[in-house]
Amino acid sequence: MFFKKKMQHDYDLDMHNIPGHIAFIMDGNGRWAKKRKMPRTYGHHEGTKTIRTLALEANRLGVKAMTVYAFSTENFIREASEVEYIFKLPKEFFNLYLKELMENNVQIRYIGHLEMAPIETQNIIKEAIQRTSVNSGLILTFAFIYGGRDEIVEATRIICEKYKNGEISLSDVTEDYFEQHLMTKDLPPVDLMVRSSGECRLSNFLPWQLAYAEFIFDETLWPDFDEEHLHRAIAIYQGRERRFGGVLK
């Protein structure tokens, strides 16, 4: 069963030009809650509903992968109570939506340093990954305790160790070889990056992978981002010419 909602606006999407991989920077939860005179944690709670909504709609549209920036390596500097609450969200999210995601053939993955999370959080995420591992629909990846610079440095360390041990030569280190040591090595290239809330920066999110992605910075706060906003983002993407450094003839 697919989640469906009638759209306010028909963007007449080209179903032959759907981005294969969409990455989201989920920004604006705190501001959304503040506007309603609620604690920031309430915004994070409501933001999980958006993940579920967009994942099901992206899956229906034929998007192959969707990666969401759930918690960065820098987010530890936030108030301890907010960090603690965010670590509880995976349990809440999967208790509510894992069955529905399973029914829609969605596969769960993560990138980042899950080992830095509380053991209960680790177990919840690992269980969701295990239970959805045979699914062949949308790959929903949570960037959790993730930092783009950290990912690149870690890949560099691994490659340097291989060179030190005589396993590879310098000529082996190409862009393709480097990519095989990134956390996203099993994911398709990112075609479209969307950041909600109007902020126009990457915030250390997938800096290598976004080299030739299309960027959209939407003013909508994340809890208000719905299927129609997704359709609009894809329509904008379809209206652009992707040249990858070349010139279209």
Side-chain angles (χ1 to χ4, degrees):
M1 179 181 72
F2 289 101
F3 177 74
K4 295 182 179 180
K5 176 184 173 183
K6 186 176 180 181
M7 299 295 157
Q8 298 288 327
H9 189 290
D10 182 5
Y11 285 98
D12 193 24
L13 298 180
D14 178 0
M15 299 307 293
H16 298 290
N17 187 24
I18 297 295
H21 186 174
I22 305 176
F24 287 97
I25 299 179
M26 307 182 292
D27 199 12
N29 289 333
R31 277 167 283 170
W32 185 91
K34 184 177 180 181
K35 286 174 61 176
R36 290 158 177 78
K37 299 184 178 359
M38 298 291 286
R40 289 177 57 85
T41 51
Y42 181 65
H44 294 308
H45 165 78
E46 291 299 302
T48 63
K49 298 178 182 179
T50 300
I51 299 174
R52 171 260 187 188
T53 297
L54 297 187
L56 294 178
E57 181 63 9
N59 187 50
R60 187 186 73 82
L61 292 172
V63 177
K64 298 183 185 306
M66 171 176 154
T67 298
V68 295
Y69 204 7
F71 191 87
S72 77
T73 49
E74 292 77 28
N75 285 157
F76 280 107
I77 65 175
R78 296 186 179 187
E79 289 190 11
S81 59
E82 183 176 356
V83 172
E84 182 180 354
Y85 181 81
I86 291 173
F87 282 149
K88 293 178 180 177
L89 284 177
K91 181 177 182 179
E92 179 181 310
F93 179 83
F94 289 121
N95 281 347
L96 287 172
Y97 305 129
L98 185 59
K99 182 175 183 293
E100 188 175 24
L101 293 170
M102 285 286 294
E103 290 173 350
N104 284 271
N105 201 28
V106 173
Q107 182 183 143
I108 303 299
R109 297 187 191 177
Y110 84 91
I111 56 174
H113 293 284
L114 186 59
E115 71 278 2
M116 296 174 65
I119 190 65
E120 182 181 22
T121 304
Q122 294 182 42
N123 291 338
I124 287 290
I125 294 175
K126 288 177 181 178
E127 180 183 359
I129 291 170
Q130 189 277 323
R131 289 181 60 184
T132 63
S133 61
V134 299
N135 292 351
S136 57
L138 176 81
I139 299 171
L140 175 58
T141 301
F142 290 85
F144 195 71
I145 315 182
Y146 169 85
R149 291 179 176 179
D150 169 78
E151 178 187 26
I152 291 171
V153 170
E154 184 63 26
T156 303
R157 285 197 187 107
I158 294 170
I159 293 171
C160 287
E161 191 67 26
K162 289 183 177 182
Y163 176 75
K164 178 183 175 182
N165 294 335
E167 300 174 39
I168 61 172
S169 65
L170 287 179
S171 61
D172 292 321
V173 185
T174 62
E175 287 190 14
D176 289 341
Y177 185 80
F178 190 87
E179 285 184 342
Q180 288 307 306
H181 292 80
L182 295 175
M183 297 174 183
T184 54
K185 61 182 180 295
D186 296 323
L187 294 174
V190 180
D191 295 310
L192 172 63
M193 189 288 297
V194 180
R195 179 168 187 155
S196 57
S197 89
E199 301 292 342
C200 299
R201 56 183 178 272
L202 295 184
S203 298
N204 202 19
F205 183 51
L206 302 175
W208 176 283
Q209 297 86 344
L210 295 179
Y212 278 104
E214 296 295 321
F215 292 2
I216 292 175
F217 299 99
D218 193 302
E219 293 185 357
T220 308
L221 300 178
W222 182 250
D224 291 329
F225 205 98
D226 59 16
E227 303 99 323
E228 187 169 348
H229 294 95
L230 174 63
H231 284 213
R232 181 174 67 189
I234 294 175
I236 294 171
Y237 165 86
Q238 292 180 347
R240 294 180 180 175
E241 293 182 343
R242 303 187 72 197
R243 296 187 291 275
F244 299 96
V247 177
L248 294 181
K249 297 180 179 180

